């Protein structure tokens, strides 16, 4: 803690120096564009035709209401007021680019802003990954696992995690339900972004009615001594939990 | 290859600077633009370095800072444009480079290279009642990622656009993990220890494409090839009193997978009139996957241990052929009513063989899968009603999977399974703006998945426990998920804005196994979040948000007295607060404080009472960060700033294995030119 004192002193000094030139001013809230006004979506179309057309089928189009675009419910939802950008298209800083600043997404997706601050999270706040790396924000493929898409469930995850893609000789059916059936992908209190850290994760699907008071059966195998000792995959038993090329019980 | 990429990157940065210095001064055209920001700093650290690195993705034993961003937009001759963005933080091994050169109606070229590390902690949690902080491995796990993209496009007028791209993705390093192994403290032993998995991924993607916009229809064709080589080594070894034990056997699990895939995509879209558009396409994918996997057990002498965990000649080969057809319709039958319809058909056929020798016998396995899925969907949105925008969506998928598996060995097995699945998703929602300073949205989503597994043939002999024989075999399994979302935003005055969001997600998993009762599991997650933005005076900006998340994973085991598990609870509370105060037009102070707390340990640890032999747990923790900053504008285009950050992590375990307190101080600046 002692090492911090010089820094405090420097900040304080800078503050005092600044006080000597005090005058009234206005703070610009983050993500605002001073002097700009919201514009209708059709005004964006001449330069961004494809984006405007795709937007109609996107998830975000749901919150756009008729006649409300000038109140920020068109392209301005994410890009801010665009009037100055239209007048000076090359001038930087006159339009917001959410692909580079997740804070604009967090204005509505408050829960994600907080989840990225849990101890296990994708490094979005750190600037190593952006929202647009996984979500196509304009088109229907914002939900790449829907019928509008050529991409299947999970493909967006396999881009960075190819080891889990397979194909495998023995597949785990859970992969068909999507990665999110086990992983809380934005942020989690559990390592590997898991929904649960212990064997409850697997027992959601693999628990069976017990027929012997002294044992804990899963399939025809007694797991009584194994289950308390860890989750099914961390105990080096079913380590090939995404799929295996050699072992039908996904042990290796 | 990695050194080569680094050299290319360094050379390009130098070239860019050289270009800037010579040509920027000559530039007179208004659109030219250049900005850069830079900073330098240091971290004063204490206690767990690796945990700090994992939480904040910063390495605290190296220089913090460098060129945060350099952005250039520079028109060359008529129609030629150069754009560049550079970030280089050498001490953090974090670099990003984008270079774009384009000429109107001729071509564009784009180069994007990025490199960044990903750090992991080297402890595996703590065991209940273990006091000493032994549960740490000596490694400093982390991976190094490098991505390179080179894209060239030919954009001649009235001709199809042709594109070529090459992409390389590399990942190299160690990921932290948990594994089986004895962890001993005094006379007490536990059976899960931390370890690392070494990974080395090399992905190469080549794409050529063409896009032709014609009066009849727009046509897009793309051919994609991918060559991927994945290597990983995972080690299981024992610990004694906090140190890896050399006296016991070590299991090494080494995988090497190589696959090639080719993918052909054709997309056509046609706007028939103002009320009707159609689009559709076809994708053919072929994958050839070859892999080897060696599992070896070594004694402390280095000799191979006897037993089944010693594999020889392990090879597998999977061939996949996939066909996908897709048809979309967008119709506007009446004003402000949008109707979308979707049809999708996909067939995947996979043939696999694998063989390996376990020192006793040879395993020869064949597996074949044929998966056909048909999907239909509809979305309706109506925007005629003033200030209200309702929508409705429904999607259905029906699938059939035939699986044939066979192993030839002494106690061979053969299984033929015919499984069907049916997925349904329904979403209904409403966005509303009842008066000027208030808006909101509500949504209800229902997801239903029904799986049926028809066990046509299973040679594994039935037992008294599971008549079907196959361990963990499931006859029927249904997933039923309800998601309720509410969002309200209010601007009661021009200086106050508040947003509230609530999401409740309830999932029930209903499983039925042959000859046994049905069993239910539940995953419930409730998330409350809210934020307030307040500008009480013109030079003060305040914002505060909070999220409370309650997560429960309950299985039938909770009510079963014989079973050793209880429900998992993963609750968390997070606050994020920011204040910005502008002292004058030139000077601005800012403060940011965030804290995240969890409280799942005390409940989850009872899973293992009275004999706490179980999984090492995350402890309840408080993770917080405070950042104080000051920014001063020296000139209109030049700003200097200074920042101090305090990072603190504190967990409830008495040994404080993962605790840290780190201080970051940095100074930086930003310069813009036009």
């Amino acid at each position: 803690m002692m090492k911090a004192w010089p820094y405090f002193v420097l900040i304080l000094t800078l503050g005092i120096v600044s006080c000597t030139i005090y005058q009234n001013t206005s703070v610009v809230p983050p993500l605002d564009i001073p002097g700009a006004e919201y514009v209708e979506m059709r005004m964006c179309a001449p330069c961004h035709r494809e984006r405007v057309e795709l937007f109609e089928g996107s998830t975000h189009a749901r919150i756009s209401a008729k006649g409300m675009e000038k109140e920020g419910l068109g392209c301005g939802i994410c890009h801010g007021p665009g009037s100055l950008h239209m007048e000076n298209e090359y001038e930087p800083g006159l339009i917001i680019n959410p692909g580079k600043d997740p804070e604009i997404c967090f204005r509505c997706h408050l829960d994600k802003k907080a989840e990225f601050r849990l101890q296990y999270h994708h490094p979005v706040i750190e600037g190593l990954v952006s929202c647009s790396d996984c979500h196509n924000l304009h088109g229907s493929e914002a939900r790449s696992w829907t019928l509008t898409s050529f991409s299947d469930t999970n493909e967006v995850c396999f881009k960075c995690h190819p080891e889990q893609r397979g194909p495998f000789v023995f597949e785990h059916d859970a992969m068909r339900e999507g990665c999110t059936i086990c992983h809380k992908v934005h942020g989690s209190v559990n390592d590997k972004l898991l929904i649960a850290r212990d064997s409850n994760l697997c027992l959601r699907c693999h628990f069976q009615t017990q027929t012997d008071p002294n044992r804990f059966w899963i399939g025809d195998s007694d797991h009584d001594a194994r289950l308390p000792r860890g989750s099914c995959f961390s105990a080096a038993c079913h380590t090939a939990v995404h799929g295996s090329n050699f072992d039908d019980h996904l042990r290796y | 290859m990695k050194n080569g990429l680094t050299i290319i990157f360094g050379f390009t940065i130098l070239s860019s600077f050289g270009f800037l210095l010579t040509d920027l001064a000559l530039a007179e055209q208004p659109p030219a633009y250049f900005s850069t920001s830079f900073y330098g700093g240091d971290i004063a650290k204490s206690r767990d370095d690796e945990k700090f690195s994992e939480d904040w993705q910063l390495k605290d034993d190296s220089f913090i800072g460098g060129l945060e961003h350099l952005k250039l937009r520079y028109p060359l001759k008529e129609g030629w444009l150069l754009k560049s963005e550079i970030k280089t933080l050498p001490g953090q091994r974090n670099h990003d480079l984008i270079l774009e050169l384009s000429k109107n109606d001729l071509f564009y070229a784009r180069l994007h290279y990025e490199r960044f590390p990903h750090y992991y902690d080297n402890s595996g949690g703590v065991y209940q009642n273990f006091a000493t902080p032994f549960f740490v491995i000596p490694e400093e796990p982390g991976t190094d990622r490098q991505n390179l993209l080179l894209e060239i496009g030919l954009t001649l007028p009235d001709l199809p656009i042709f594109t070529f791209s090459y992409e390389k993705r590399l990942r190299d390093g160690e990921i932290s993990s948990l594994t089986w192994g004895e962890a001993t403290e005094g006379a007490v032993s536990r059976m899960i220890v931390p370890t690392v998995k070494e990974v080395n991924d090399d992905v190469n993607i080549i794409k050529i494409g063409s896009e032709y916009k014609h009066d009849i229809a727009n046509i897009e064709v793309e051919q994609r090839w991918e060559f991927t080589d994945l290597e990983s080594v995972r080690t299981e070894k024992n610990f004694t009193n906090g140190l890896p034990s050399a006296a016991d056997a070590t299991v090494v699990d080494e995988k090497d997978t190589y696959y090639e895939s080719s993918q052909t995509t054709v997309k056509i879209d046609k706007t028939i009139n103002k009320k009707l558009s159609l689009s559709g396409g076809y994708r053919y994918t072929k994958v050839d996957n070859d892999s080897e996997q060696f599992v070896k057990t070594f004694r402390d002498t280095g000799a191979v241990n006897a037993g089944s965990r010693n594999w020889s000649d392990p090879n597998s080969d999977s061939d996949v052929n996939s066909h996908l057809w897709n048809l979309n319709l967008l119709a506007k039958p009446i004003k402000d009513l949008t109707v979308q319809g979707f049809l999708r058909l996909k067939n995947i056929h996979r043939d696999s063989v694998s063989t390996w020798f376990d020192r006793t016998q040879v395993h020869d396995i064949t597996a074949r899968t044929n998966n056909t899925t048909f999907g239909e969907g509809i979305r309706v949105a109506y925007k005629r009603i003033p200030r209200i925008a309702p929508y409705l969506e429904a999607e259905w998928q029906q699938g059939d999977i035939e699986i044939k598996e066979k192993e030839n060995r002494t106690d061979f097995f053969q299984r033929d399974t015919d499984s069907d699945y049916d997925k349904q998703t329904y979403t209904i929602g409403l966005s509303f703006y009842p008066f000027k300073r208030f808006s909101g949205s509500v949504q209800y989503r229902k997801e239903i998945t029904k799986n049926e597994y028809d066990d046509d043939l299973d040679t594994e002999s039935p037992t008294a426990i599971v008549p079907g024989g196959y361990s963990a075999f499931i006859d029927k399994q249904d997933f039923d998920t309800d998601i309720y979302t509410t969002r309200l935003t209010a601007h009661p005055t021009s200086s106050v804005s508040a947003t509230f969001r609530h999401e409740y997600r309830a999932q029930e998993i209903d499983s039925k196994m042959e000859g046994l009762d049905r069993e239910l599991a539940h995953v419930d997650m409730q998330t409350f979040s809210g934020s307030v933005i307040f500008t009480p005076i013109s030079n003060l900006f305040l914002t505060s948000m909070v999220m409370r998340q309650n997560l429960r994973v309950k299985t039938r085991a909770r009510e079963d007295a014989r079973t050793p598990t209880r429900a998992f609870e993963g609750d968390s509370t997070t606050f994020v607060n920011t204040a910005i105060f502008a002292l004058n037009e030139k000077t601005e102070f800012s403060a940011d404080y965030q804290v995240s707390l969890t409280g799942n340990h005390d409940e989850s640890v009872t899973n293992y009472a009275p004999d706490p032999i179980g999984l090492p747990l995350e402890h309840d923790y408080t993770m917080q960060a405070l950042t104080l900053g000051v920014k001063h504008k020296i000139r209109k285009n030049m700003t200097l700033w200074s920042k101090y950050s305090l990072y603190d992590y504190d967990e409830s375990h008495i040994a404080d294995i993962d605790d840290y307190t780190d201080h970051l101080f940095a100074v930086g600046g930003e310069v813009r030119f036009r």
Side-chain angles (χ1 to χ4, degrees):
Chain A
M1 191 64 192
M2 286 301 290
K3 280 194 174 183
W5 280 110
Y7 308 146
F8 278 125
V9 170
L10 184 62
I11 291 168
L12 200 62
T13 307
L14 282 171
I16 292 166
V17 169
S18 303
C19 284
T20 60
I21 47 173
Y22 175 83
Q23 53 185 285
N24 287 330
T25 187
S26 294
V27 68
V28 177
L31 308 175
D32 269 18
I33 300 168
E37 292 179 356
Y38 288 104
V39 297
E40 291 179 38
M41 207 181 295
R42 63 184 172 83
M43 308 295 278
C44 309
C47 296
H48 307 284
R49 186 188 62 83
E50 204 170 332
R51 294 282 163 91
V52 171
E53 285 175 3
L54 278 172
F55 181 76
E56 210 161 5
S58 77
T59 310
H60 281 140
R62 293 166 172 172
I63 46 177
S64 138
K66 186 180 170 74
M68 302 294 286
E69 290 165 12
K70 284 198 149 187
E71 292 187 30
L73 294 168
C75 301
I77 295 171
C78 302
H79 294 285
S83 62
L84 292 180
H85 170 67
M86 283 178 58
E87 293 164 16
N88 305 282
E89 60 178 306
Y90 293 115
E91 181 72 26
L94 295 183
I95 198 74
I96 291 168
N97 182 353
K100 299 190 173 176
D101 188 350
E103 286 298 328
I104 194 73
C105 308
F106 295 155
R107 290 208 296 192
C108 292
H109 302 281
L110 301 172
D111 51 332
K112 302 299 176 283
K113 177 176 181 171
E115 285 185 2
F116 283 124
R117 285 170 167 84
L118 296 176
Q119 67 168 339
Y120 299 104
H121 56 269
H122 270 110
V124 169
I125 305 289
E126 293 82 352
L128 304 179
V129 181
S130 74
C131 302
S132 57
D133 285 337
C134 301
H135 302 279
N136 181 346
L137 307 170
H138 295 98
S140 302
E141 297 203 8
R143 290 168 295 160
S144 60
W145 42 91
T146 63
L147 295 168
T148 59
S149 167
F150 274 85
S151 307
D152 277 336
T153 310
N154 307 342
E155 274 183 35
V156 71
C157 309
F158 295 151
K159 202 166 61 169
C160 294
H161 304 281
E163 191 187 350
Q164 280 73 36
R165 174 164 45 184
F168 298 109
V169 175
F170 297 106
E171 297 169 329
H172 188 187
D173 268 356
M175 296 289 282
R176 239 181 334 105
E177 302 297 334
C179 301
T180 53
I181 196 72
C182 293
H183 297 279
K184 202 162 157 285
V185 294
H186 296 97
S188 169
V189 296
N190 302 306
D191 199 5
K192 312 298 179 205
L193 302 180
L194 289 168
I195 287 174
R197 184 172 164 87
D198 57 22
S199 44
N200 275 301
L201 186 75
C202 308
L203 291 172
R204 289 178 302 163
C205 292
H206 294 285
F207 181 80
Q208 68 183 54
T209 309
Q210 297 302 303
T211 54
D212 184 333
N214 300 313
R215 295 179 179 183
F216 189 84
W217 296 101
I218 297 179
D220 58 356
S221 177
D222 181 10
H223 283 69
D224 191 47
R226 301 171 200 159
L227 268 182
R229 297 191 167 194
S231 55
C232 311
F233 47 89
S234 70
C237 292
H238 304 282
T239 59
V241 70
H242 298 96
S244 171
N245 286 323
F246 299 96
D247 187 272
D248 61 331
H249 291 195
L250 309 184
R251 283 180 290 231
Y252 283 99
Chain B
M1 179 62 199
K2 286 168 205 164
N3 289 336
L5 291 177
T6 308
I7 291 167
I8 290 169
F9 179 71
F11 177 75
T12 313
I13 289 176
L14 290 174
S15 306
S16 302
F17 273 118
F19 178 84
L20 280 172
L21 293 174
T22 54
D23 283 6
L24 192 66
L26 303 173
E28 291 181 2
Q29 301 177 62
Y33 168 76
F34 160 72
S35 80
T36 183
S37 68
F38 48 87
Y39 71 93
D42 187 33
I43 294 178
K45 60 182 179 178
S46 68
R47 291 185 280 187
D48 193 337
D49 303 348
E50 283 68 36
K51 179 63 181 164
F52 169 77
S53 293
E54 179 179 72
D55 287 348
W56 303 99
Q57 295 302 314
L58 284 170
K59 197 72 178 166
D60 64 2
D61 58 0
S62 55
F63 174 70
I64 301 290
L67 187 66
E68 191 179 29
H69 96 270
L70 184 150
K71 191 171 179 180
L72 166 75
R73 167 188 274 275
Y74 187 72
L76 301 165
K77 299 170 190 172
E78 190 178 341
W80 288 80
L81 182 66
L82 175 73
K83 289 197 284 184
S84 176
E85 288 183 43
I86 299 172
K87 175 175 81 173
T88 176
L89 308 172
Q92 298 297 312
R93 290 184 290 133
N94 185 349
H95 310 287
D96 200 337
L97 165 72
I98 299 173
L99 269 180
E100 283 181 31
L101 181 66
S102 61
K103 165 85 172 80
N104 287 346
D105 296 333
L106 181 61
F107 91 110
Y108 69 88
R110 186 168 195 266
L111 172 74
H112 186 191
Y113 168 73
E114 62 177 341
R115 177 179 185 177
F116 59 88
H118 193 119
Y119 301 111
Y120 300 89
D121 191 18
N122 60 354
S123 66
V126 292
Y127 280 116
Q128 191 188 14
N129 301 334
F130 266 39
T132 52
F134 81 95
F135 205 60
V136 176
I137 49 174
E139 289 89 348
E140 296 180 8
T143 56
D144 187 24
R145 280 187 180 272
Q146 295 188 82
N147 299 325
L148 173 73
L149 172 69
L150 176 65
E151 189 177 352
I152 298 168
L154 201 59
T155 57
L156 293 164
D158 304 323
L159 285 174
I161 295 170
F162 292 99
T163 55
F164 167 84
S165 73
Y166 169 67
E167 192 176 350
K168 188 171 188 69
R169 292 174 166 268
L170 298 168
R171 183 176 66 153
D172 186 20
E174 294 172 329
I175 299 171
S176 65
S177 185
L178 293 177
T179 188
W180 182 259
E182 191 172 86
T184 305
E185 184 186 68
V188 185
S189 289
R190 303 286 184 263
M191 296 310 298
I192 303 290
V193 294
T195 187
V196 292
K197 185 166 83 169
E198 296 168 41
V199 294
N200 189 351
D201 301 347
D202 185 351
V203 180
N204 295 274
I205 300 166
I206 297 170
K207 281 193 274 194
I208 55 171
S210 176
E211 187 181 340
Y212 187 42
K213 294 185 187 307
H214 192 274
D215 292 341
I216 298 171
N218 298 328
I219 301 170
E220 260 182 81
V221 182
E222 184 187 272
Q223 177 66 41
R224 179 186 193 273
W225 295 274
E226 182 176 330
F227 309 92
T228 295
D229 191 1
L230 308 172
E231 296 171 6
S232 71
V233 181
R234 191 177 57 83
T235 307
E236 303 167 14
K237 55 189 172 187
N238 293 350
F239 278 65
T240 302
N241 293 328
L243 295 171
S245 172
D248 297 307
T250 300
V251 179
V252 177
D253 176 7
E254 187 176 344
K255 293 180 186 176
D256 189 353
T257 303
Y258 179 78
Y259 64 84
E260 296 177 5
S261 76
S262 75
Q263 192 173 75
T264 309
T265 306
V266 180
K267 292 182 185 178
I268 300 173
D269 72 85
K270 168 71 179 170
T271 302
I272 294 169
N273 55 41
K274 282 186 177 179
K275 291 188 172 181
L276 187 62
S277 302
L278 286 170
S279 70
Y282 166 73
R283 173 173 285 176
Y284 170 65
T285 308
K286 181 178 170 58
V287 182
D288 180 7
N289 176 321
D290 297 303
S291 84
E292 293 183 333
Q293 183 171 354
F294 294 92
V295 177
K296 293 281 182 195
T297 309
F298 298 98
R299 301 299 305 171
D300 57 319
T301 58
V304 173
N305 198 18
S308 62
R309 287 200 290 188
N310 284 291
W311 296 7
S312 302
D313 302 322
N315 287 293
S316 81
D317 180 12
S318 288
D319 295 315
V320 179
N321 286 281
S322 154
H323 303 269
L324 167 69
W325 290 268
N326 189 331
L327 178 64
N328 308 312
L329 172 147
L330 174 65
K332 296 177 179 176
I334 58 171
K335 199 175 179 186
D336 297 317
L337 176 68
T338 305
V339 180
Q340 293 173 280
F342 315 101
L343 291 174
R344 192 177 196 259
L345 176 62
K346 185 166 188 179
N347 175 261
I348 308 169
H349 184 84
R350 177 179 61 87
D351 277 308
S352 302
V353 292
S354 74
T355 177
W356 53 288
F357 179 64
D358 66 3
R359 293 177 70 91
T360 311
Q361 57 190 336
V362 175
H363 299 250
D364 277 318
I365 300 162
T366 56
R368 174 177 293 179
T369 305
N370 192 54
N371 181 352
T372 305
T373 310
F374 192 69
E376 315 89 43
I378 186 166
R379 293 184 194 168
V380 181
Y382 189 55
K383 300 203 170 176
R384 186 70 172 169
I385 310 166
R387 297 186 169 273
I388 295 177
Y391 58 88
L392 174 70
E393 298 178 6
E395 291 179 3
W396 302 269
Q397 282 186 59
Q398 305 83 40
D400 177 70
I401 308 177
E402 295 167 16
I403 307 171
K404 294 182 186 294
E405 298 163 317
K406 188 176 182 180
E407 177 166 6
N408 287 325
R409 59 174 190 181
T410 312
D411 53 343
F412 83 104
F413 73 86
Q414 186 174 358
R415 283 191 293 269
D416 291 351
T417 308
D418 185 5
S419 60
D420 299 305
Y421 62 90
D422 179 25
K423 291 187 177 185
Q424 300 167 35
T425 306
Y426 304 97
T427 309
I428 184 165
L430 188 71
S431 297
F432 51 90
Y433 313 89
F435 41 88
K436 192 171 181 181
R437 294 185 177 274
F438 185 78
S439 66
S441 62
V442 289
Q443 181 182 287
Y444 169 66
R445 186 175 173 89
K446 178 94 175 165
E447 298 173 354
I448 302 167
T449 303
K450 294 178 184 294
N451 295 299
E452 280 193 30
Y453 302 89
D454 190 2
D455 189 19
D456 294 334
L457 173 67
D458 187 350
T459 59
E460 284 198 35
S461 55
T463 68
I465 306 304
V466 183
Y470 176 34
S471 99
F473 191 84
I474 299 162
D475 283 329
K476 287 184 181 179
Q477 191 161 67
D478 298 341
F479 294 75
D480 192 339
T481 310
D482 297 288
I483 307 164
Y484 305 85
T485 311
T486 305
R487 184 180 59 82
L488 301 171
T489 300
H491 301 272
T493 70
S494 60
S495 60
V496 178
S497 167
T499 303
F500 169 78
R501 193 176 189 281
H502 173 250
E503 181 177 303
Y504 176 60
R505 176 184 291 260
Q507 184 178 61
E508 183 181 86
I509 303 173
D510 184 345
S511 306
K512 178 80 175 68
M513 298 178 193
E514 191 176 341
L516 301 174
D517 295 337
R518 62 192 276 255
E519 297 292 350
L520 295 175
H522 295 89
V523 180
D524 290 335
M525 189 167 75
Q526 183 138 233
T527 308
F528 294 94
S529 48
S531 83
V532 176
I533 298 172
F534 184 36
T535 315
I537 50 176
S538 66
N539 56 343
L540 179 62
F541 169 81
L542 302 168
T543 178
S544 179
M545 78 148 290
V546 60
M547 179 193 81
R548 172 70 184 166
Q549 194 165 69
N550 299 102
L551 173 67
R552 299 286 180 276
V553 182
K554 298 177 188 172
T555 65
R556 168 75 168 75
R558 185 175 176 82
E559 282 78 38
D560 194 320
R562 295 181 298 274
T563 57
T565 62
R566 297 291 182 270
F568 177 82
E569 299 193 8
D571 301 342
S572 64
T573 306
T574 303
F575 296 92
V576 184
N577 308 283
T578 304
I580 302 173
F581 175 65
L583 188 64
N584 52 45
E585 286 182 344
K586 292 185 173 178
T587 308
E588 198 174 277
F589 294 96
S590 64
D592 184 278
Y593 175 69
Q594 53 178 292
V595 59
S596 183
L597 310 100
T598 65
N600 59 69
H601 172 75
D602 290 340
E603 174 66 21
S604 298
V605 77
T606 59
N607 288 354
Y608 311 103
D611 184 16
I613 59 172
L615 181 71
L617 291 164
E618 300 292 349
H619 257 259
D620 299 349
Y621 70 84
T622 304
M623 186 168 76
Q624 50 192 333
L626 170 70
T627 297
L628 301 172
V630 58
K631 197 162 37 170
H632 186 69
K633 194 178 277 186
I634 294 175
R635 297 171 58 181
K636 192 178 178 184
N637 64 341
M638 194 179 294
T639 305
L640 288 180
W641 56 261
S642 170
K643 185 174 85 169
Y644 163 75
S645 297
L646 167 71
Y647 303 98
D648 186 75
Y649 179 89
D650 181 42
E651 65 185 15
S652 58
H653 189 264
I654 54 169
D656 297 338
I657 294 173
D658 287 327
D659 289 5
Y660 59 78
T661 303
D662 281 39
H663 309 271
L664 165 70
F665 177 72
V667 291
E670 184 174 344
V671 185
R672 292 172 181 238
F673 290 108
R674 285 192 52 170

